[in-house]
Amino acid sequence: MKRTTVAILLLVGLTNLAWAQKDDFKCPDDYGFYPHHISCDKYWKCDNGVADLKTCGNGLAFDDTDPKYLKENCDYLHNVDCGDRNQLEPPVGTPHCPRLYGIFADDGKCDTFWNCWNGEASRYQCSPGLAYDRDARVCMWADQVPECKNEEVAGGFNCPAPGEVPAAGSFSRHAHPDDCRKYFICLDGTPREYGCPIGTVFKIGDSEGTGSCEDPEDVPGCEDYYGDVDLKALRKLGL
């Protein structure tokens, strides 16, 4: 056998031995939960001084912030500071879930995101005018989310050009073309979608770029927006 081959086999053997020694974990105490040295989704459970290697659900990581190591807590990956524990199990996915656990943006609509738990996806939608920010993992104004285009943010609505609505200055209100309850506010040329309180609809003002939320019966064309809903009862409940 060539010396080079022998050297490679020896190196591989020593490497495997080193990993085996690292995984030969000894419990610091009789009972507790301890992070794995290189894996963020693995941890050691010690019971009567006996160590048992555990793995969090796919998309979860072991939270090692308990100084007493008494908490067995697997949390979403984005909530855990893994530090040097940078290895993870390969992704296991289902529709809308790149991993079995986690919160993920929708691939097609920027105002939609999915909460995945054990591969079951629950759909959530941001409030009108907001979109899901993949980094901050919260709903923000859609124009502040890079993945959103104007077609999604405002349904293709474009604010009037500077000076086109002279009385409004940098701020103006505009009716939504398809929904009586919704309207756009233009701030320095950027449209943001808003919604009137339940029980009201948007009424265009006397001058261009103005308007307010009013009772449906006072807005021509929107009288039947709420159908058979008892608006008086809604208002008494403060909805």
Side-chain angles (χ1 to χ4, degrees):
M1 186 178 292
K2 294 183 179 180
R3 291 184 178 179
T4 303
T5 304
V6 173
I8 292 174
L9 292 173
L10 180 61
L11 178 61
V12 171
L14 290 174
T15 301
N16 290 336
L17 178 61
W19 287 121
Q21 289 174 340
K22 285 185 178 180
D23 275 345
D24 187 18
F25 179 78
K26 293 183 179 179
C27 294
D29 208 338
D30 286 344
Y31 181 84
F33 303 93
Y34 303 91
H36 193 272
H37 58 286
I38 59 170
S39 176
C40 198
D41 52 8
K42 287 184 170 60
Y43 62 97
W44 295 98
K45 177 182 178 180
C46 289
D47 193 0
N48 289 326
V50 178
D52 186 17
L53 183 61
K54 298 288 187 178
T55 303
C56 296
N58 195 265
L60 303 179
F62 180 69
D63 180 4
D64 66 341
T65 56
D66 177 19
K68 296 182 178 180
Y69 301 104
L70 296 177
K71 292 182 180 179
E72 186 179 16
N73 184 28
C74 291
D75 200 351
Y76 287 138
L77 276 169
H78 62 266
N79 288 336
V80 178
D81 181 6
C82 292
D84 294 331
R85 300 182 295 133
N86 51 22
Q87 290 193 10
L88 295 170
E89 289 291 291
V92 177
T94 60
H96 306 297
C97 302
R99 287 182 178 269
L100 297 182
Y101 296 87
I103 300 175
F104 305 100
D106 185 82
D107 291 332
K109 298 191 66 178
C110 62
D111 65 346
T112 301
F113 61 97
W114 301 85
N115 189 349
C116 296
W117 191 259
N118 197 25
E120 294 290 332
S122 299
R123 181 180 180 273
Y124 292 86
Q125 189 169 17
C126 298
S127 299
L130 304 183
Y132 183 71
D133 186 275
R134 298 166 187 255
D135 295 325
R137 298 182 185 276
V138 295
C139 291
M140 301 174 60
W141 285 115
D143 60 88
Q144 297 176 341
V145 178
E147 292 81 12
C148 276
K149 299 178 182 178
N150 187 58
E151 290 76 12
E152 294 180 80
V153 173
F157 173 82
N158 292 300
C159 289
E164 194 174 321
V165 186
S170 62
F171 175 93
S172 58
R173 290 189 176 95
H174 307 271
H176 192 284
D178 303 316
D179 194 318
C180 285
R181 188 183 166 199
K182 296 179 181 178
Y183 62 98
F184 297 106
I185 285 183
C186 287
L187 296 169
D188 295 320
T190 300
R192 289 182 173 176
E193 185 180 307
Y194 285 77
C196 287
I198 292 179
T200 64
V201 294
F202 183 75
K203 182 178 181 180
I204 298 173
D206 295 331
S207 58
E208 190 176 358
T210 64
S212 59
C213 295
E214 305 289 347
D215 293 336
E217 57 266 26
D218 297 329
V219 183
C222 295
E223 299 92 339
D224 298 324
Y225 180 79
Y226 290 96
D228 297 330
V229 175
D230 188 344
L231 297 181
K232 292 182 179 179
L234 280 180
R235 290 167 189 144
K236 286 181 179 179
L237 292 173
L239 298 175

